[in-house]
Amino acid sequence: MRRSEIRDHLLDTALRLFNQHGYHATGIDLIIAEAGVAKTTLYRHFETKEDLILAALERRDEEDRSAMRAFVEQHASDPVERLLATFDFLEASVRDKQFRGCIFVSAAGEHKDTVNPVFRAAVMHKRLAIAYFEELAHAARFAEPKRIAAEINLLHEGAMAVAQMTRIAEPARQAKRMAGQLLAAEERVPSARGGDAGQRTQAS
Amino acid sequence: MRRSEIRDHLLDTALRLFNQHGYHATGIDLIIAEAGVAKTTLYRHFETKEDLILAALERRDEEDRSAMRAFVEQHASDPVERLLATFDFLEASVRDKQFRGCIFVSAAGEHKDTVNPVFRAAVMHKRLAIAYFEELAHAARFAEPKRIAAEINLLHEGAMAVAQMTRIAEPARQAKRMAGQLLAAEERVPSARGGDAGQRTQAS
DNA sequence: GAAGAAGTATACCGATCTGTATCGTTTGGC
DNA sequence: GCCAAACGATACAGATCGGTATACTTCTTC
């Protein structure tokens, strides 16, 4: 294993264990044992356990968001359908046998102080996710893209929280149906050139 | 302090600390220090830390659900408005300065194994909460009370998850608006004696 | 008021925690 | 092919973890 790969391998292992057992319940000794790496090596790459957590969250944040973007852009072209397609991505994530709830929600739940760097990293991820929803809502020409984005995000969070307990994918589909119904009743501003000029057009 | 009060005081203290720091991060030594009680005393009331957690969750479960029932019954009489009033109760909970997310979601997030008693206790609480929503949805004569209850629950979970991060009460109000809009479009079965016989009546 | 249960205080147990130190081996870059 | 950096292995430090043991005191109850 090349040197630069070790860091990635450590992050992968740590993320898997954090997801499986949580952050406090996952000890450094377990991480290095599962990664097949000496303790010295881990601490050469990450100063503290918190640094490891932060690096892992940062990595997962980028992976998750780019994966959602790719999925959505591939599965739908209409902006409204893209908003709804985010729930299909969510469903796929939840269907993973390893799904045990959103790791960012768990991270915030185990580091509840708002000034804690781990908490802040989790908040940052959610902010960026909402920003993407807002981008889609803006492209769909909804009159209030910020509010739409917050609503989509709330449904995502709800679906993940329910799925964390039930361990089934249905909440994701249910959230999608709810989103579809809500979006269908939303005001949209007219397109720049032509398009529908009506004030209450159907969303899907 | 009377003997029987010690157990309650320990549960109060433990719940406060679990809410503030999480379950793994809250040590037995901190709990007894905050409660002003000897370690022997704690272990006379609870065999293990897990037993303490389970007792604390059980207590909070009953408190929460009866508090919600009382709040809802006092603030609304119409069944549909009662479903919406659950979000007012949620908003009040979230407004609490000590709010750091749903302690049952956190409990499940720190004890992710589905066979873990703590996880199961958290699931049980959510099941009972949904049962109450279903009871209200049934009273409101919605055609599919089970689905309605699941949707209300999903919105509750979403609002709490978002509020856990943002530490503001707005998500609860937003969830209420979403619920109101969704319920307004729902089919309802005619009342037994008289009442509206229409198939798509207004919910609120 | 005696008896027994339950309280306090403290010391202790073994395990585990994060993090460091030591030292010999491997490896990549010039 | 040399050298320095990074690796593995291990031992260890100091703190904290959940939980127990002991000895003394306080309260409740009959």
Side-chain angles (χ1 to χ4, degrees):
Chain A
M1 182 150 46
R2 292 207 322 274
R3 287 170 143 77
S4 64
E5 292 173 328
I6 289 186
R7 185 187 153 94
D8 284 346
H9 178 56
L10 275 170
L11 289 178
D12 281 342
T13 306
L15 272 170
R16 177 169 59 81
L17 294 173
F18 289 152
N19 179 65
Q20 194 165 3
H21 306 294
Y23 297 87
H24 285 89
T26 301
I28 295 289
D29 289 338
L30 178 60
I31 297 174
I32 62 174
E34 290 275 309
V37 149
K39 191 180 275 194
T40 324
T41 302
L42 185 146
Y43 278 101
R44 200 185 309 278
H45 286 279
F46 307 98
E47 284 191 10
T48 65
K49 185 185 180 183
E50 184 176 282
D51 282 345
L52 172 62
I53 295 176
L54 289 173
L57 288 183
E58 196 169 339
R59 192 180 133 100
R60 179 71 155 234
D61 165 62
E62 291 164 2
E63 278 176 7
D64 261 26
R65 288 187 299 109
S66 70
M68 183 185 279
R69 277 194 124 89
F71 181 99
V72 165
E73 287 171 15
Q74 190 182 359
H75 284 72
S77 55
D78 175 70
V80 174
E81 280 169 21
R82 283 188 170 172
L83 271 173
L84 295 176
T86 63
F87 292 94
D88 298 330
F89 177 79
L90 177 64
E91 182 185 344
S93 307
V94 166
R95 277 195 186 282
D96 188 326
K97 269 198 170 182
Q98 304 305 317
F99 176 79
R100 301 198 165 197
C102 173
I103 68 160
F104 298 97
V105 172
S106 288
E110 287 198 44
H111 307 84
K112 298 169 183 265
D113 202 330
T114 55
V115 302
N116 186 299
V118 176
F119 182 91
R120 297 169 75 92
V123 170
M124 184 52 63
H125 169 76
K126 296 301 181 184
R127 272 212 269 262
L128 293 172
I130 293 175
Y132 178 52
F133 296 149
E134 188 178 344
E135 180 185 322
L136 291 178
H138 182 78
R141 307 204 158 271
F142 283 111
E144 300 176 70
K146 271 199 158 54
R147 180 174 55 80
I148 299 294
E151 292 186 1
I152 296 294
N153 179 58
L154 194 149
L155 290 171
H156 270 255
E157 297 291 349
M160 277 190 292
V162 176
Q164 172 182 355
M165 301 273 196
T166 60
R167 299 293 164 88
I168 59 177
E170 172 58 21
R173 284 198 297 270
Q174 180 161 43
K176 185 184 180 182
R177 289 194 299 268
M178 296 164 73
Q181 194 154 348
L182 288 170
L183 292 184
E186 282 294 336
E187 264 186 59
R188 296 167 75 180
V189 300
S191 171
R193 46 171 189 155
D196 46 31
Q199 279 266 311
R200 280 203 174 247
T201 62
Q202 286 293 75
S204 67
Chain B
M1 181 152 44
R2 292 209 321 278
R3 284 173 146 76
S4 64
E5 293 174 329
I6 290 185
R7 185 186 153 94
D8 284 346
H9 178 56
L10 275 170
L11 289 178
D12 280 342
T13 307
L15 271 171
R16 176 170 58 83
L17 294 173
F18 289 152
N19 179 64
Q20 194 165 3
H21 306 295
Y23 299 86
H24 285 88
T26 301
I28 293 290
D29 289 337
L30 178 61
I31 295 174
I32 62 173
E34 292 274 311
V37 148
K39 192 180 271 196
T40 322
T41 301
L42 185 147
Y43 278 102
R44 201 186 307 278
H45 287 279
F46 308 99
E47 284 191 9
T48 65
K49 184 185 182 183
E50 186 177 279
D51 282 344
L52 172 62
I53 295 176
L54 290 173
L57 289 183
E58 197 170 337
R59 193 180 133 99
R60 179 72 157 233
D61 164 62
E62 291 163 2
E63 277 177 7
D64 262 25
R65 289 186 299 109
S66 68
M68 184 185 279
R69 277 194 124 92
F71 182 98
V72 166
E73 288 171 15
Q74 189 181 1
H75 284 73
S77 54
D78 175 69
V80 174
E81 279 170 21
R82 283 189 170 174
L83 271 172
L84 295 176
T86 64
F87 292 93
D88 297 330
F89 176 79
L90 176 65
E91 183 185 343
S93 307
V94 165
R95 277 195 187 282
D96 188 324
K97 267 198 172 181
Q98 303 305 319
F99 177 79
R100 299 198 165 197
C102 173
I103 67 160
F104 299 97
V105 171
S106 289
E110 288 199 45
H111 307 85
K112 300 172 182 262
D113 202 329
T114 54
V115 301
N116 186 298
V118 176
F119 182 91
R120 297 168 74 93
V123 170
M124 183 54 62
H125 169 76
K126 296 302 182 184
R127 271 211 271 264
L128 292 173
I130 293 175
Y132 178 53
F133 296 150
E134 188 178 341
E135 181 185 321
L136 291 178
H138 182 78
R141 306 206 159 270
F142 283 112
E144 299 176 72
K146 271 200 157 55
R147 179 174 56 78
I148 300 294
E151 291 185 3
I152 297 294
N153 179 58
L154 193 148
L155 289 172
H156 269 255
E157 297 291 347
M160 277 189 291
V162 175
Q164 174 181 356
M165 300 272 195
T166 60
R167 299 291 165 89
I168 58 176
E170 171 58 23
R173 284 198 296 271
Q174 180 160 45
K176 184 184 182 181
R177 289 194 299 269
M178 295 165 73
Q181 193 154 349
L182 288 170
L183 292 184
E186 283 293 337
E187 264 188 58
R188 294 167 78 181
V189 298
S191 171
R193 48 174 187 152
D196 45 33
Q199 281 266 312
R200 280 200 173 253
T201 61
Q202 286 293 75
S204 68

